[in-house]
Amino acid sequence: KEAEPRLHNFKPQELANTVWAFTTAGVPAPALFAAVAKEAAPRLCDFTPQALANTAWAFATAGMPAPMLFAAVAKEAEPRLHNFKPQELANTVWAFTTAGVPAPALFAAVAKEAAPRLCDFTPQALA
């Protein structure tokens, strides 16, 4: 509750870390997630690939619907996929699939990016 009015002061990594931490701890915080989604979506250009993937992962894992955030993540991630590590590619696709958010253009771009790099993927990233 204390963080919500201060989210505008959070750096992108801090926004990603906040939802990741609440999800990992299993603490439901729908109002916080809604506020982070609203704050993060217009600032995704400042997120690292890891922060993009972790944010999508946190929302999907927590079961928090955020269609506008997912649409913004897809739009931001697609032209930057060459900067994503294999685990970040895998986590992003996993998050969209788990959240039930269709993103055919993103998925096609991830497939194109991942195919020549499959030897760099860990078994976990391939699963």
Side-chain angles (χ1 to χ4, degrees):
K1 205 169 186 177
E2 293 293 320
E4 290 176 45
R6 298 180 181 149
L7 290 175
H8 65 279
N9 292 323
F10 281 37
K11 295 175 184 167
Q13 189 65 47
E14 294 165 343
L15 291 169
N17 289 351
T18 298
V19 292
W20 178 89
F22 273 79
T23 299
T24 301
V27 177
L32 175 64
F33 274 75
V36 168
K38 184 177 179 181
E39 182 64 36
R43 296 173 50 195
L44 291 176
C45 62
D46 296 324
F47 279 53
T48 64
Q50 181 180 12
L52 287 170
N54 287 354
T55 300
W57 176 90
F59 274 82
T61 302
M64 298 300 305
M68 291 178 62
L69 176 66
F70 275 95
V73 168
K75 183 178 179 181
E76 184 59 38
E78 192 175 334
R80 295 172 48 195
L81 292 174
H82 63 280
N83 293 322
F84 279 56
K85 294 177 183 172
Q87 191 64 50
E88 295 160 353
L89 292 170
N91 288 354
T92 300
V93 169
W94 181 92
F96 275 78
T97 302
T98 299
V101 177
L106 175 64
F107 287 9
V110 168
K112 184 177 179 180
E113 180 62 36
R117 297 169 48 192
L118 287 178
C119 62
D120 297 330
F121 280 67
T122 65
Q124 180 185 358
L126 289 171

